[in-house]
Amino acid sequence: MKKFQFLRLSVALYQQTPLHMLMFLKFRNFSHSIKSTRLKNQNPCFELFRFCHFDSKLGLGSSSLTPTLSPQKPQNNVAIFWDLDNKPPKTVSPFEAAIKLKTAVCSFGFVKYMVAYANRHAFSYVPQVVREERKQRKSLNQLENKGVIKPVESYLCRVCGRNFYNNEKFINHFKQIHEREQQKRLNQIESARGKRRVMLVGKYAMKMQKYKNAARDILTPKVGYGLADELKRAGFWVRTVLDKPQAADVALKDHMVDMMDKRRAECFVLVSDDSDFVHVLKEAKSRCLKTVVVGDVNDGALKRVADAGFSWQEILMGKAKKDAETVVGRWKDRDVLKRLEWIYDPEVEKNLHGMVYEFDNHESKDECDGNDSEDGDIDNILDGDDVGCLQKEDARGWWELDSNPEVTSSQSC
Protein backbone atom coordinates (compact mmCIF):
# COMPACT_ATOMS: atom_id res chain seq x y z
CA MET A 1 0.00 0.00 0.00
CA LYS A 2 2.84 2.32 0.91
CA LYS A 3 4.63 1.54 -2.36
CA PHE A 4 1.51 2.36 -4.34
CA GLN A 5 1.11 5.72 -2.57
CA PHE A 6 4.78 6.53 -3.19
CA LEU A 7 4.39 5.82 -6.91
CA ARG A 8 1.30 8.00 -7.17
CA LEU A 9 3.12 10.85 -5.38
CA SER A 10 6.13 10.63 -7.70
CA VAL A 11 3.92 10.64 -10.81
CA ALA A 12 2.10 13.71 -9.54
CA LEU A 13 5.33 15.56 -8.89
CA TYR A 14 6.60 14.63 -12.33
CA GLN A 15 3.43 16.02 -13.94
CA GLN A 16 3.66 19.28 -11.96
CA THR A 17 7.39 19.82 -12.69
CA PRO A 18 7.94 22.07 -15.71
CA LEU A 19 9.69 20.76 -18.79
CA HIS A 20 12.67 23.12 -18.62
CA MET A 21 13.49 21.96 -15.09
CA LEU A 22 13.67 18.34 -16.26
CA MET A 23 15.93 19.28 -19.12
CA PHE A 24 18.24 21.18 -16.72
CA LEU A 25 18.54 18.17 -14.40
CA LYS A 26 19.35 15.85 -17.29
CA PHE A 27 22.00 18.28 -18.64
CA ARG A 28 23.53 18.64 -15.17
CA ASN A 29 23.91 14.88 -14.77
CA PHE A 30 25.40 14.62 -18.27
CA SER A 31 27.95 17.41 -17.67
CA HIS A 32 28.93 15.85 -14.33
CA SER A 33 29.71 12.52 -16.02
CA ILE A 34 31.81 14.28 -18.68
CA LYS A 35 33.84 16.13 -16.04
CA SER A 36 34.52 12.95 -14.07
CA THR A 37 35.74 11.05 -17.15
CA ARG A 38 37.92 13.99 -18.19
CA LEU A 39 39.46 14.13 -14.71
CA LYS A 40 40.25 10.41 -14.86
CA ASN A 41 41.93 10.76 -18.24
CA GLN A 42 44.03 13.77 -17.23
CA ASN A 43 44.98 12.45 -13.77
CA PRO A 44 45.19 8.66 -13.81
CA CYS A 45 46.72 8.78 -10.32
CA PHE A 46 43.26 9.25 -8.81
CA GLU A 47 42.19 5.91 -10.24
CA LEU A 48 45.46 4.43 -9.03
CA PHE A 49 44.84 5.58 -5.46
CA ARG A 50 41.55 3.67 -5.41
CA PHE A 51 43.21 0.31 -6.07
CA CYS A 52 46.75 0.81 -4.67
CA HIS A 53 48.13 1.55 -1.23
CA PHE A 54 51.06 3.90 -0.67
CA ASP A 55 53.08 4.46 2.43
CA SER A 56 51.98 7.51 4.37
CA LYS A 57 55.59 8.68 4.75
CA LEU A 58 56.04 8.90 0.98
CA GLY A 59 54.04 11.67 -0.60
CA LEU A 60 52.95 11.87 -4.19
CA GLY A 61 55.70 14.34 -5.00
CA SER A 62 58.34 12.57 -2.94
CA SER A 63 61.76 12.19 -4.41
CA SER A 64 61.90 8.54 -3.34
CA LEU A 65 59.39 7.57 -6.03
CA THR A 66 61.67 8.84 -8.79
CA PRO A 67 64.62 6.59 -9.70
CA THR A 68 68.01 8.00 -8.80
CA LEU A 69 70.66 7.77 -11.50
CA SER A 70 74.15 6.90 -10.38
CA PRO A 71 76.80 9.36 -11.62
CA GLN A 72 78.72 8.06 -14.62
CA LYS A 73 82.49 7.94 -14.47
CA PRO A 74 84.21 10.21 -17.02
CA GLN A 75 85.72 8.30 -19.92
CA ASN A 76 89.24 8.78 -21.20
CA ASN A 77 89.66 10.78 -24.39
CA VAL A 78 91.21 8.82 -27.28
CA ALA A 79 93.10 10.29 -30.24
CA ILE A 80 93.74 8.35 -33.49
CA PHE A 81 96.73 9.28 -35.67
CA TRP A 82 96.87 7.61 -39.08
CA ASP A 83 100.01 7.58 -41.22
CA LEU A 84 98.49 7.10 -44.68
CA ASP A 85 101.90 7.08 -46.39
CA ASN A 86 102.90 3.98 -44.47
CA LYS A 87 99.58 2.23 -43.86
CA PRO A 88 96.82 3.05 -46.39
CA PRO A 89 93.69 0.84 -46.52
CA LYS A 90 94.15 -1.69 -49.31
CA THR A 91 91.89 -4.71 -48.86
CA VAL A 92 88.67 -2.81 -47.99
CA SER A 93 87.19 0.58 -48.81
CA PRO A 94 88.55 3.56 -46.85
CA PHE A 95 85.16 4.33 -45.29
CA GLU A 96 84.71 0.76 -44.02
CA ALA A 97 88.27 0.63 -42.69
CA ALA A 98 87.81 3.93 -40.81
CA ILE A 99 84.51 2.82 -39.26
CA LYS A 100 85.96 -0.54 -38.17
CA LEU A 101 88.97 1.21 -36.65
CA LYS A 102 86.80 3.66 -34.73
CA THR A 103 84.55 0.83 -33.46
CA ALA A 104 87.53 -1.13 -32.13
CA VAL A 105 89.13 1.91 -30.47
CA CYS A 106 85.88 2.91 -28.71
CA SER A 107 86.64 0.29 -26.04
CA PHE A 108 89.55 2.41 -24.78
CA GLY A 109 87.37 5.49 -24.22
CA PHE A 110 85.64 8.30 -26.06
CA VAL A 111 87.15 8.85 -29.52
CA LYS A 112 87.52 12.63 -29.66
CA TYR A 113 90.23 13.21 -32.28
CA MET A 114 90.80 11.39 -35.60
CA VAL A 115 93.64 12.70 -37.75
CA ALA A 116 95.19 11.38 -40.99
CA TYR A 117 98.33 12.71 -42.70
CA ALA A 118 99.64 11.97 -46.19
CA ASN A 119 101.26 13.63 -49.18
CA ARG A 120 99.73 14.11 -52.62
CA HIS A 121 100.98 10.78 -53.97
CA ALA A 122 99.12 8.77 -51.31
CA PHE A 123 95.78 10.22 -52.44
CA SER A 124 96.49 9.56 -56.11
CA TYR A 125 97.52 5.95 -55.50
CA VAL A 126 95.06 3.21 -56.55
CA PRO A 127 95.38 -0.20 -54.84
CA GLN A 128 95.61 -3.39 -56.86
CA VAL A 129 92.21 -4.61 -55.67
CA VAL A 130 90.50 -1.47 -56.96
CA ARG A 131 92.26 -1.76 -60.33
CA GLU A 132 91.06 -5.32 -60.79
CA GLU A 133 87.48 -4.33 -59.95
CA ARG A 134 87.59 -1.54 -62.53
CA LYS A 135 88.93 -3.87 -65.21
CA GLN A 136 86.22 -6.41 -64.48
CA ARG A 137 83.54 -3.72 -64.66
CA LYS A 138 84.88 -2.53 -68.03
CA SER A 139 84.77 -6.03 -69.51
CA LEU A 140 81.19 -6.52 -68.27
CA ASN A 141 80.14 -3.26 -69.93
CA GLN A 142 81.53 -4.47 -73.27
CA LEU A 143 79.62 -7.75 -73.00
CA GLU A 144 76.40 -5.89 -72.15
CA ASN A 145 76.80 -3.63 -75.17
CA LYS A 146 77.21 -6.65 -77.47
CA GLY A 147 74.17 -8.33 -75.92
CA VAL A 148 76.08 -11.39 -74.76
CA ILE A 149 74.96 -11.05 -71.16
CA LYS A 150 72.04 -9.33 -69.53
CA PRO A 151 72.01 -8.11 -65.93
CA VAL A 152 69.76 -9.98 -63.53
CA GLU A 153 68.60 -6.77 -61.84
CA SER A 154 68.19 -3.39 -63.48
CA TYR A 155 70.38 -0.41 -62.59
CA LEU A 156 68.30 1.95 -60.49
CA CYS A 157 68.99 5.68 -60.52
CA ARG A 158 68.70 6.80 -56.90
CA VAL A 159 68.13 10.43 -57.93
CA CYS A 160 65.20 10.19 -60.34
CA GLY A 161 64.17 6.52 -59.89
CA ARG A 162 64.58 5.35 -63.52
CA ASN A 163 65.66 1.77 -64.34
CA PHE A 164 68.32 0.81 -66.91
CA TYR A 165 69.48 -2.57 -68.23
CA ASN A 166 72.77 -1.24 -69.56
CA ASN A 167 75.46 0.17 -67.29
CA GLU A 168 76.94 2.57 -69.84
CA LYS A 169 73.53 4.06 -70.63
CA PHE A 170 72.92 4.43 -66.92
CA ILE A 171 76.23 6.29 -66.44
CA ASN A 172 75.57 8.55 -69.44
CA HIS A 173 72.10 9.38 -68.09
CA PHE A 174 73.58 10.30 -64.71
CA LYS A 175 76.28 12.51 -66.21
CA GLN A 176 74.10 14.30 -68.77
CA ILE A 177 71.20 15.10 -66.43
CA HIS A 178 72.07 14.91 -62.75
CA GLU A 179 75.70 15.98 -62.96
CA ARG A 180 74.71 19.07 -64.95
CA GLU A 181 71.97 19.91 -62.47
CA GLN A 182 74.46 19.62 -59.63
CA GLN A 183 76.86 21.94 -61.42
CA LYS A 184 74.09 24.51 -61.97
CA ARG A 185 73.26 24.47 -58.26
CA LEU A 186 76.90 25.00 -57.33
CA ASN A 187 77.21 27.91 -59.77
CA GLN A 188 74.11 29.59 -58.33
CA ILE A 189 75.45 29.27 -54.80
CA GLU A 190 78.88 30.62 -55.80
CA SER A 191 77.40 33.65 -57.60
CA ALA A 192 74.98 34.54 -54.78
CA ARG A 193 75.95 36.70 -51.80
CA GLY A 194 74.63 37.36 -48.33
CA LYS A 195 71.12 36.27 -47.42
CA ARG A 196 70.36 34.87 -50.87
CA ARG A 197 73.34 32.51 -50.65
CA VAL A 198 72.17 31.19 -47.29
CA MET A 199 68.68 30.62 -48.69
CA LEU A 200 70.04 28.75 -51.74
CA VAL A 201 72.21 26.49 -49.55
CA GLY A 202 69.19 25.59 -47.44
CA LYS A 203 67.04 25.06 -50.54
CA TYR A 204 69.46 22.73 -52.36
CA ALA A 205 70.93 20.94 -49.31
CA MET A 206 68.84 17.75 -49.61
CA LYS A 207 69.21 17.53 -53.39
CA MET A 208 72.98 17.98 -53.23
CA GLN A 209 73.33 15.33 -50.54
CA LYS A 210 71.15 12.94 -52.55
CA TYR A 211 73.36 13.47 -55.59
CA LYS A 212 76.57 12.86 -53.59
CA ASN A 213 75.27 9.59 -52.17
CA ALA A 214 74.31 8.34 -55.65
CA ALA A 215 77.47 9.55 -57.40
CA ARG A 216 79.69 7.77 -54.88
CA ASP A 217 78.66 4.35 -56.27
CA ILE A 218 78.21 5.31 -59.94
CA LEU A 219 81.00 7.66 -60.98
CA THR A 220 84.68 6.77 -60.91
CA PRO A 221 86.87 9.32 -59.07
CA LYS A 222 89.07 11.35 -61.37
CA VAL A 223 92.08 11.09 -59.02
CA GLY A 224 92.88 7.99 -57.00
CA TYR A 225 89.98 6.06 -55.51
CA GLY A 226 88.39 8.70 -53.26
CA LEU A 227 90.59 8.14 -50.21
CA ALA A 228 90.32 11.66 -48.77
CA ASP A 229 86.57 12.00 -49.35
CA GLU A 230 85.81 8.61 -47.80
CA LEU A 231 87.89 9.32 -44.70
CA LYS A 232 86.24 12.72 -44.29
CA ARG A 233 82.86 11.05 -44.54
CA ALA A 234 83.89 8.72 -41.70
CA GLY A 235 84.81 11.69 -39.49
CA PHE A 236 88.59 11.97 -40.00
CA TRP A 237 90.43 15.24 -40.33
CA VAL A 238 92.60 14.70 -43.45
CA ARG A 239 95.71 16.82 -43.95
CA THR A 240 97.85 16.92 -47.11
CA VAL A 241 101.54 17.73 -46.54
CA LEU A 242 104.30 18.80 -48.92
CA ASP A 243 105.91 16.33 -51.32
CA LYS A 244 109.06 15.98 -49.23
CA PRO A 245 110.58 12.86 -47.66
CA GLN A 246 109.28 12.20 -44.13
CA ALA A 247 107.02 15.28 -44.29
CA ALA A 248 103.96 13.35 -43.08
CA ASP A 249 105.94 11.74 -40.24
CA VAL A 250 107.25 15.07 -38.99
CA ALA A 251 103.79 16.68 -39.10
CA LEU A 252 102.27 13.68 -37.32
CA LYS A 253 104.93 13.74 -34.56
CA ASP A 254 104.47 17.48 -33.98
CA HIS A 255 100.71 17.06 -33.73
CA MET A 256 101.05 14.21 -31.21
CA VAL A 257 103.51 16.12 -29.01
CA ASP A 258 101.30 19.19 -29.11
CA MET A 259 98.32 17.16 -27.88
CA MET A 260 100.49 15.63 -25.14
CA ASP A 261 101.51 19.08 -23.93
CA LYS A 262 97.89 20.27 -23.82
CA ARG A 263 96.66 16.98 -22.23
CA ARG A 264 93.81 16.67 -24.70
CA ALA A 265 93.82 12.87 -24.71
CA GLU A 266 94.75 10.08 -22.30
CA CYS A 267 95.13 7.33 -24.93
CA PHE A 268 97.00 7.63 -28.26
CA VAL A 269 96.34 5.20 -31.12
CA LEU A 270 98.94 5.16 -33.90
CA VAL A 271 98.21 3.47 -37.24
CA SER A 272 101.66 2.85 -38.69
CA ASP A 273 104.57 0.44 -38.91
CA ASP A 274 107.25 3.12 -39.15
CA SER A 275 109.88 2.74 -36.42
CA ASP A 276 110.54 6.51 -36.44
CA PHE A 277 107.62 6.94 -34.03
CA VAL A 278 109.34 4.97 -31.24
CA HIS A 279 110.58 8.11 -29.49
CA VAL A 280 107.11 9.66 -29.56
CA LEU A 281 105.59 6.54 -27.96
CA LYS A 282 108.28 6.52 -25.27
CA GLU A 283 107.55 10.18 -24.55
CA ALA A 284 103.84 9.37 -24.19
CA LYS A 285 104.58 6.52 -21.77
CA SER A 286 106.88 8.73 -19.70
CA ARG A 287 103.91 11.08 -19.26
CA CYS A 288 101.73 8.19 -18.02
CA LEU A 289 99.65 8.08 -21.22
CA LYS A 290 98.31 4.88 -22.81
CA THR A 291 99.61 3.93 -26.27
CA VAL A 292 98.13 1.53 -28.85
CA VAL A 293 99.64 0.59 -32.23
CA VAL A 294 97.77 -0.78 -35.27
CA GLY A 295 100.03 -2.38 -37.87
CA ASP A 296 100.82 -5.54 -39.75
CA VAL A 297 104.33 -6.13 -38.36
CA ASN A 298 103.71 -8.49 -35.44
CA ASP A 299 107.12 -8.15 -33.75
CA GLY A 300 107.92 -4.58 -34.75
CA ALA A 301 109.61 -1.89 -32.69
CA LEU A 302 106.40 0.06 -32.21
CA LYS A 303 104.44 -2.86 -30.74
CA ARG A 304 107.30 -3.67 -28.34
CA VAL A 305 107.19 -0.15 -26.93
CA ALA A 306 103.39 0.39 -26.94
CA ASP A 307 101.03 -0.83 -24.25
CA ALA A 308 98.92 -2.80 -26.77
CA GLY A 309 99.14 -3.73 -30.44
CA PHE A 310 96.69 -5.03 -33.06
CA SER A 311 96.89 -6.01 -36.71
CA TRP A 312 94.60 -4.81 -39.49
CA GLN A 313 93.18 -8.31 -39.79
CA GLU A 314 92.08 -8.22 -36.14
CA ILE A 315 90.54 -4.78 -36.66
CA LEU A 316 88.50 -5.87 -39.69
CA MET A 317 87.36 -9.17 -38.14
CA GLY A 318 86.23 -7.49 -34.90
CA LYS A 319 88.64 -9.45 -32.73
CA ALA A 320 90.43 -6.28 -31.62
CA LYS A 321 87.28 -4.94 -29.95
CA LYS A 322 87.04 -8.03 -27.74
CA ASP A 323 90.74 -7.97 -26.89
CA ALA A 324 90.57 -4.26 -26.10
CA GLU A 325 88.29 -4.93 -23.13
CA THR A 326 90.90 -7.31 -21.68
CA VAL A 327 93.61 -4.70 -22.22
CA VAL A 328 91.57 -2.04 -20.40
CA GLY A 329 91.07 -4.39 -17.44
CA ARG A 330 94.81 -5.04 -17.31
CA TRP A 331 95.47 -1.30 -17.32
CA LYS A 332 93.11 -0.78 -14.38
CA ASP A 333 94.84 -3.52 -12.37
CA ARG A 334 98.23 -1.98 -13.11
CA ASP A 335 97.05 1.47 -11.95
CA VAL A 336 95.79 -0.02 -8.68
CA LEU A 337 99.13 -1.76 -8.05
CA LYS A 338 101.02 1.45 -8.76
CA ARG A 339 99.03 3.24 -6.09
CA LEU A 340 99.76 0.47 -3.57
CA GLU A 341 103.47 -0.10 -4.21
CA TRP A 342 106.14 1.60 -2.07
CA ILE A 343 108.97 3.49 -3.76
CA TYR A 344 112.19 4.32 -1.86
CA ASP A 345 113.09 8.00 -1.99
CA PRO A 346 116.32 8.83 -0.10
CA GLU A 347 115.44 12.49 0.45
CA VAL A 348 112.02 11.69 1.88
CA GLU A 349 113.44 8.94 4.11
CA LYS A 350 116.20 11.25 5.35
CA ASN A 351 113.73 13.96 6.27
CA LEU A 352 111.44 11.42 7.93
CA HIS A 353 114.27 9.98 10.10
CA GLY A 354 115.36 13.49 11.09
CA MET A 355 111.85 14.31 12.24
CA VAL A 356 111.65 11.08 14.29
CA TYR A 357 115.07 11.76 15.93
CA GLU A 358 114.04 15.30 16.93
CA PHE A 359 110.76 13.99 18.34
CA ASP A 360 112.57 11.39 20.51
CA ASN A 361 115.02 13.99 21.86
CA HIS A 362 112.18 16.31 22.70
CA GLU A 363 110.36 13.55 24.62
CA SER A 364 113.48 12.62 26.61
CA LYS A 365 114.05 16.26 27.59
CA ASP A 366 110.45 16.57 28.71
CA GLU A 367 110.81 13.46 30.91
CA CYS A 368 113.96 14.79 32.62
CA ASP A 369 112.41 18.19 33.24
CA GLY A 370 109.31 16.49 34.63
CA ASN A 371 111.28 14.47 37.20
CA ASP A 372 113.18 17.54 38.44
CA SER A 373 110.03 19.58 38.77
CA GLU A 374 108.32 16.81 40.75
CA ASP A 375 111.17 16.63 43.26
CA GLY A 376 111.19 20.38 43.67
CA ASP A 377 107.45 20.46 44.23
CA ILE A 378 107.68 17.83 46.98
CA ASP A 379 110.47 19.77 48.74
CA ASN A 380 108.42 22.94 48.65
CA ILE A 381 105.33 21.26 50.03
CA LEU A 382 107.09 19.54 52.96
CA ASP A 383 108.48 21.77 55.77
CA GLY A 384 111.38 20.98 58.10
CA ASP A 385 109.22 19.55 60.92
CA ASP A 386 107.42 17.29 58.53
CA VAL A 387 110.69 15.97 57.29
CA GLY A 388 111.82 15.16 60.89
CA CYS A 389 108.63 13.27 61.61
CA LEU A 390 109.03 11.25 58.47
CA GLN A 391 112.63 10.40 59.42
CA LYS A 392 111.52 9.29 62.96
CA GLU A 393 108.83 7.10 61.53
CA ASP A 394 111.23 5.60 59.09
CA ALA A 395 113.75 4.84 61.93
CA ARG A 396 111.24 2.58 63.68
CA GLY A 397 110.66 -0.92 62.38
CA TRP A 398 107.47 -1.83 60.75
CA TRP A 399 106.85 -4.64 63.26
CA GLU A 400 107.02 -2.38 66.32
CA LEU A 401 103.52 -1.42 67.45
CA ASP A 402 102.56 1.41 69.74
CA SER A 403 101.07 0.03 73.02
CA ASN A 404 101.03 3.24 75.06
CA PRO A 405 98.72 5.89 73.66
CA GLU A 406 100.55 8.64 75.53
CA VAL A 407 103.81 7.65 73.92
CA THR A 408 102.16 7.61 70.59
CA SER A 409 100.65 11.01 71.13
CA SER A 410 103.98 12.41 72.30
CA GLN A 411 105.81 10.86 69.36
CA SER A 412 103.26 12.03 66.88
CA CYS A 413 103.68 15.53 65.55
Side-chain angles (χ1 to χ4, degrees), residues 85 119 241-248:
D85 288 348
N119 55 21
V241 297
L242 299 176
D243 293 336
K244 293 181 180 180
Q246 304 296 324

Side-chain angles (χ1 to χ4, degrees), residues 75-120:
Q75 290 185 340
N76 295 330
N77 292 330
V78 181
I80 303 175
F81 294 91
W82 197 340
D83 184 10
L84 293 174
D85 288 348
N86 182 266
K87 193 58 61 181
K90 297 179 181 179
T91 57
V92 294
S93 64
F95 179 77
E96 184 180 356
I99 294 297
K100 291 283 183 70
L101 177 63
K102 184 179 178 181
T103 304
V105 172
C106 280
S107 301
F108 298 112
F110 176 70
V111 181
K112 194 172 183 179
Y113 303 99
M114 296 189 296
V115 186
Y117 280 87
N119 55 21
R120 181 174 53 84

